[in-house]
Amino acid sequence: MNTSVTNFHDLPPEAIPSDIAKLSYESHLEDANALEVELSDHPSILDSGENPKLFTIDVEHNLLQFVNVEAKNHCAAIHLFRSYSNSSPVWGAEKLFDELYKVWVQEHHSKDTVAGRFLGLLSSSDTNVFGLGQEAIKGKDSHRVYVVFSCLGSSFLFMRELPLQGLLEFLEAQYNLEHRDQSVPVFYNELSDFLSEKLPVAQQLAELIRRDLSEAKVRLYVSCMEAFTKAGELPKAINCALEDVKSDKNISKRAAMLILGQLIRHWEVVPELRKEIQTLIINTCDHSEDEIKRTSLNLLSRAASTQHELIPELVKRAVENNQNALHALKDFVCMNGKVIAELSDLSNVLEPLIFLTAENVDLLDYSLSRLIKAEKHCEAVEDWLTQWAIRNCASLDSEDRLSRSFQQSITELYTQERLFKLLTDWALADEKGLGVAFADVISELWVRGIKNPVFHKLTIDSLNQDDFRYLARRMLGWICHEEALLSLTFSLLDTDNALNRSFRWVHELLTNDIGKNYPRATLQEIENRLTTSTGDEDKLLRSAHTKLSKYIDALDKLPRLNELRPPEMLQRHITFKKNKQQREGQEAAQKHSLLTQLCTHIPLKNGNGWFSIRDGKIGEIGRLSTHSFHGTLPVGAVMDPVNDTITRLGYRTAKRGDE
């Protein structure tokens, strides 16, 4: 409520000397909260009379002292009002709000403002301030609309009467603008506060709106009902909403849902109303009109956060062909972290969300990562990610990549040491989508510098020979990074009875598939392992090392096809010429650009960094780090790309048990 604000309506403007009004205005532009003004440069003011309600004059110290900020703002508003009244020609709407902007930047976070008091004085002089606002926002950018709304919103406290028709016309004009959301919530909140103290005006405005309700007036109608509630008239607001639900007009039904949504915390504590309104919301969720259905589902989602008996109703409607319900369920999960963390059947709540596409899961990713971090429902989250991958991960070229859509969840799974078990399960699964997700996440880890993934030991311990063969094929078909392939291969040695279960597969991979595609990297990794290996593992690695060394020696002895290469000097000249042509072309294209003329070229290493410019000087340059990546192509992809592609495709489509 705003009853603490003093309007000074009983003080005539003539009671404030023009010099004092001007000084208060100038002081406000410098410091909105300063209550004392030095009068050494204004000796004539020392003889002015005092106004105990607004200001006093300390002759001894040459100070003009305002009683409080409200008094100072009122004096500054009087100065603005006189400037407007005496201007020739009279300020137009654009000029008026340009002047208000000067004071608004000093006070836009305050409740008591010079801009609001000035518009209140203007309204009292029979000027249509909302008409001026309507004219000021025509064709203007969103920032101007924000300023106009803020100034008008702060003026409600200081209006003797609210011009209802002007308000309606202003809001209709604003609704048709592209930037409809600027400052609107604050404006309507201030309006509902004002109307809560003037219930007859709120009643009159509500009746005026109901006679011709439109989309532009819906939010205003909701504000009227909020005003009734703030004034202790909840039954009146609820009755209006229940009457509107029964209306034949869809716009009235939607307005009723919005009203009930704004008043949730009031009606949910009344048992009779709670049950009645819950039934009403559930029934309206199946309405044939999409806009009403969407509004009702959003209300159901909000109500379910405190009325948990509504959660099954929300889940029941979230099916593949009901995107409105899916988004409502997603909003419920994202906005109620504590609630979902305590649900015993979270899997049932999450299950329908697999039908969300990649561009709609960003906020959901954060919520899932919080659950993983809290070590609650980790298995349910992993199961959901698996089902989402099966449905949405079509190919590695698709934009619907799991690593992009669930970066935070992947990070938390890795931190909690649960990721590699999940990846192992995906690698052993038959679904193509899980193969794509397996490759995608391994690639994302590689980019992040995590190049040593491993298969989960407990899972590997349970595999038979057919499983090992299938796992090796899936790995070769989907993974292309040499570090990851080698790390995964060597992790197969970390299993029970490895000699009889996994040695043959590791030896085959090191000497044939991986070894022949990445021979030198494989040989180097084997040599690194030999420094710590013992027993049977040492024999295995030495056997693979010997066989791979012979293969590399044979490759080195093959003749080089130098006749297919141009002479080195010619290659160098061609490269230099191409670089020069490209550089000259870029400089010519940018020669006349405004940016080139205004800015100085600063040569920097390609990477991420920062620096500051102050007083015309460039400050110390911060850390720079390159963001380029390089990898090794498999030999097969270079020497025989067609056959290599066919082989990989065969591995990807292989079935368990195939020879």
Side-chain angles (χ1 to χ4, degrees):
M1 296 300 181
N2 302 296
T3 53
S4 60
V5 174
T6 306
N7 289 307
F8 300 111
H9 283 161
D10 57 328
L11 291 178
E14 296 78 15
I16 303 173
S18 58
D19 289 344
I20 290 179
K22 183 178 180 180
L23 272 181
S24 65
Y25 173 77
E26 293 173 349
S27 173
H28 180 86
L29 296 182
E30 295 179 2
D31 185 354
N33 296 314
L35 296 180
E36 294 184 346
V37 180
E38 175 66 43
L39 296 179
S40 57
D41 296 331
H42 307 277
S44 61
I45 297 180
L46 294 174
D47 298 328
S48 301
E50 295 184 347
N51 189 323
K53 291 186 177 181
L54 298 174
F55 59 86
T56 59
I57 296 176
D58 186 345
V59 178
E60 181 180 353
H61 298 94
N62 288 339
L63 290 177
L64 171 64
Q65 298 173 327
F66 292 98
V67 175
N68 49 38
V69 172
E70 295 175 353
K72 180 184 176 182
N73 288 348
H74 181 70
C75 293
I78 291 293
H79 172 74
L80 264 181
F81 181 72
R82 288 171 178 167
S83 299
Y84 170 80
S85 301
N86 298 329
S87 61
S88 180
V90 177
W91 293 349
E94 188 167 349
K95 169 67 174 175
L96 185 145
F97 280 97
D98 283 342
E99 292 296 324
L100 287 184
Y101 176 75
K102 297 177 184 178
V103 297
W104 174 83
V105 294
Q106 299 288 340
E107 61 186 11
H108 61 278
H109 293 302
S110 304
K111 181 168 62 176
D112 190 298
T113 66
V114 173
R117 287 182 177 274
F118 166 71
L119 291 173
L121 290 170
L122 212 56
S123 177
S124 300
S125 65
D126 297 328
T127 301
N128 184 3
V129 294
F130 291 107
L132 292 171
Q134 180 179 343
E135 185 179 345
I137 63 177
K138 285 182 179 178
K140 301 301 180 182
D141 58 20
S142 59
H143 183 261
R144 168 54 69 92
V145 177
Y146 182 87
V147 173
V148 172
F149 256 80
S150 296
C151 292
L152 288 173
S154 63
S155 70
F156 292 125
L157 300 176
F158 312 105
M159 287 185 177
R160 295 178 185 271
E161 294 183 4
L162 181 63
L164 301 184
Q165 194 59 41
L167 175 64
L168 290 173
E169 292 174 357
F170 169 70
L171 293 177
E172 286 181 348
Q174 184 273 339
Y175 181 82
N176 294 323
L177 296 177
E178 293 181 0
H179 29 257
R180 293 201 289 264
D181 295 332
Q182 296 293 332
S183 188
V184 171
V186 176
F187 177 88
Y188 281 113
N189 186 58
E190 290 172 332
L191 176 58
S192 66
D193 283 346
F194 170 78
L195 292 175
S196 67
E197 298 180 356
K198 299 182 180 296
L199 287 185
V201 178
Q203 183 67 43
Q204 182 183 356
L205 182 58
E207 292 174 355
L208 188 63
I209 295 171
R210 291 183 79 181
R211 284 200 293 267
D212 184 25
L213 186 60
S214 64
E215 286 291 341
K217 301 175 184 176
V218 167
R219 188 64 186 86
L220 183 58
Y221 184 45
V222 174
S223 292
C224 292
M225 299 302 108
E226 288 179 339
F228 289 141
T229 305
K230 290 177 181 178
E233 298 288 343
L234 176 63
K236 180 179 291 188
I238 294 296
N239 289 335
C240 285
L242 296 179
E243 289 177 12
D244 290 331
V245 169
K246 301 174 183 177
S247 171
D248 296 332
K249 298 179 180 179
N250 288 335
I251 186 67
S252 297
K253 293 179 182 293
R254 197 172 80 82
M257 291 295 104
L258 291 173
I259 292 169
L260 294 176
Q262 290 296 106
L263 306 181
I264 284 180
R265 62 188 181 90
H266 297 284
W267 58 256
E268 69 179 358
V269 297
V270 183
E272 298 79 9
L273 280 178
R274 179 180 176 125
K275 186 63 178 176
E276 180 182 0
I277 294 176
Q278 283 182 351
T279 304
L280 179 66
I281 295 171
I282 292 171
N283 293 336
T284 315
C285 285
D286 300 321
H287 198 276
S288 57
E289 180 67 28
D290 281 344
E291 196 65 31
I292 296 176
K293 184 187 298 184
R294 185 183 302 112
T295 305
S296 301
L297 286 167
N298 289 338
L299 174 53
L300 181 63
S301 174
R302 290 180 57 195
S305 62
T306 53
Q307 305 169 41
H308 299 166
E309 63 270 21
L310 293 177
I311 296 177
E313 294 292 339
L314 184 60
V315 174
K316 181 173 67 176
R317 286 165 172 76
V319 294
E320 181 177 4
N321 59 354
N322 192 342
Q323 287 297 312
N324 291 332
L326 285 172
H327 283 281
L329 179 59
K330 183 197 74 171
D331 291 342
F332 168 75
V333 172
C334 295
M335 300 301 293
N336 298 281
K338 291 184 179 180
V339 174
I340 64 171
E342 301 302 326
L343 291 178
S344 59
D345 58 343
L346 180 61
S347 297
N348 295 332
V349 175
L350 292 178
E351 183 179 0
L353 297 180
I354 64 172
F355 299 114
L356 289 173
T357 53
E359 62 268 18
N360 295 317
V361 296
D362 50 346
L363 295 177
L364 183 60
D365 176 32
Y366 175 79
S367 298
L368 297 180
S369 68
R370 296 304 90 190
L371 288 173
I372 298 169
K373 185 174 183 178
E375 299 184 4
K376 292 185 176 182
H377 303 289
C378 290
E379 292 184 0
V381 174
E382 291 169 359
D383 291 343
W384 185 87
L385 288 172
T386 300
Q387 294 303 315
W388 190 90
I390 292 173
R391 177 175 176 78
N392 293 280
C393 296
S395 70
L396 288 172
D397 298 327
S398 172
E399 290 296 322
D400 297 345
R401 295 177 59 181
L402 186 137
S403 65
R404 293 181 182 178
S405 302
F406 297 97
Q407 289 189 8
Q408 297 178 81
S409 298
I410 290 172
T411 300
E412 289 300 334
L413 285 171
Y414 178 78
T415 303
Q416 300 292 335
E417 299 183 355
R418 302 182 65 95
L419 181 59
F420 291 145
K421 179 183 184 305
L422 183 62
L423 291 178
T424 305
D425 293 339
W426 288 357
L428 286 165
D430 296 329
E431 291 82 1
K432 177 185 176 182
L434 294 181
V436 173
F438 170 61
D440 176 32
V441 174
I442 291 293
S443 295
E444 176 67 19
L445 294 175
W446 185 87
V447 168
R448 296 187 188 185
I450 304 172
K451 301 183 178 182
N452 55 344
V454 296
F455 288 122
H456 187 247
K457 182 182 184 306
L458 295 180
T459 304
I460 298 300
D461 287 344
S462 64
L463 302 185
N464 57 35
Q465 292 302 300
D466 285 341
D467 294 330
F468 275 112
R469 180 190 294 111
Y470 184 68
L471 180 61
R473 287 173 173 173
R474 294 273 280 184
M475 179 178 68
L476 293 172
W478 290 109
I479 306 302
C480 61
H481 302 292
E482 58 180 345
E483 301 93 340
L485 279 170
L486 289 169
S487 179
L488 290 171
T489 299
F490 282 115
S491 71
L492 294 176
L493 297 175
D494 185 21
T495 183
D496 295 340
N497 194 19
L499 176 63
N500 297 318
R501 296 177 63 245
S502 63
F503 267 36
R504 57 174 290 204
W505 301 110
V506 174
H507 189 274
E508 181 71 15
L509 290 168
L510 293 177
T511 57
N512 286 304
D513 299 277
I514 300 176
K516 290 184 177 180
N517 268 321
Y518 309 95
R520 301 187 189 282
T522 305
L523 192 65
Q524 181 63 48
E525 186 62 26
I526 291 175
E527 291 173 353
N528 293 339
R529 292 271 178 170
L530 281 171
T531 59
T532 57
S533 62
T534 57
D536 294 329
E537 182 179 331
D538 185 75
K539 295 178 182 179
L540 168 73
L541 296 179
R542 292 189 182 280
S543 172
H545 186 276
T546 301
K547 187 173 181 179
L548 197 55
S549 297
K550 292 179 180 179
Y551 175 73
I552 293 175
D553 291 341
L555 288 178
D556 291 340
K557 292 177 181 179
L558 292 174
R560 304 291 180 183
L561 300 179
N562 293 323
E563 64 271 21
L564 298 180
R565 300 180 180 178
E568 290 186 7
M569 185 62 70
L570 179 59
Q571 293 183 53
R572 192 176 297 113
H573 283 304
I574 292 173
T575 302
F576 286 163
K577 185 176 181 180
K578 287 184 176 179
N579 290 340
K580 183 179 179 181
Q581 290 175 343
Q582 184 177 10
R583 184 173 61 255
E584 290 176 348
Q586 290 176 343
E587 291 175 353
Q590 299 175 358
K591 184 177 181 180
H592 301 292
S593 73
L594 180 61
L595 184 64
T596 302
Q597 296 177 45
L598 292 177
C599 300
T600 300
H601 286 278
I602 305 172
L604 292 176
K605 177 183 176 183
N606 184 25
N608 298 321
W610 61 92
F611 60 89
S612 62
I613 300 177
R614 185 173 183 178
D615 298 330
K617 297 181 181 180
I618 299 174
E620 183 180 355
I621 297 177
R623 179 184 61 84
L624 292 172
S625 61
T626 179
H627 54 262
S628 60
F629 304 100
H630 67 276
T632 304
L633 288 174
V635 173
V638 177
M639 302 301 296
D640 189 4
V642 174
N643 187 57
D644 181 75
T645 301
I646 294 174
T647 301
R648 285 181 176 276
L649 182 60
Y651 285 146
R652 292 180 182 183
T653 58
K655 302 296 182 183
R656 197 182 300 272
D658 290 348
E659 293 296 331

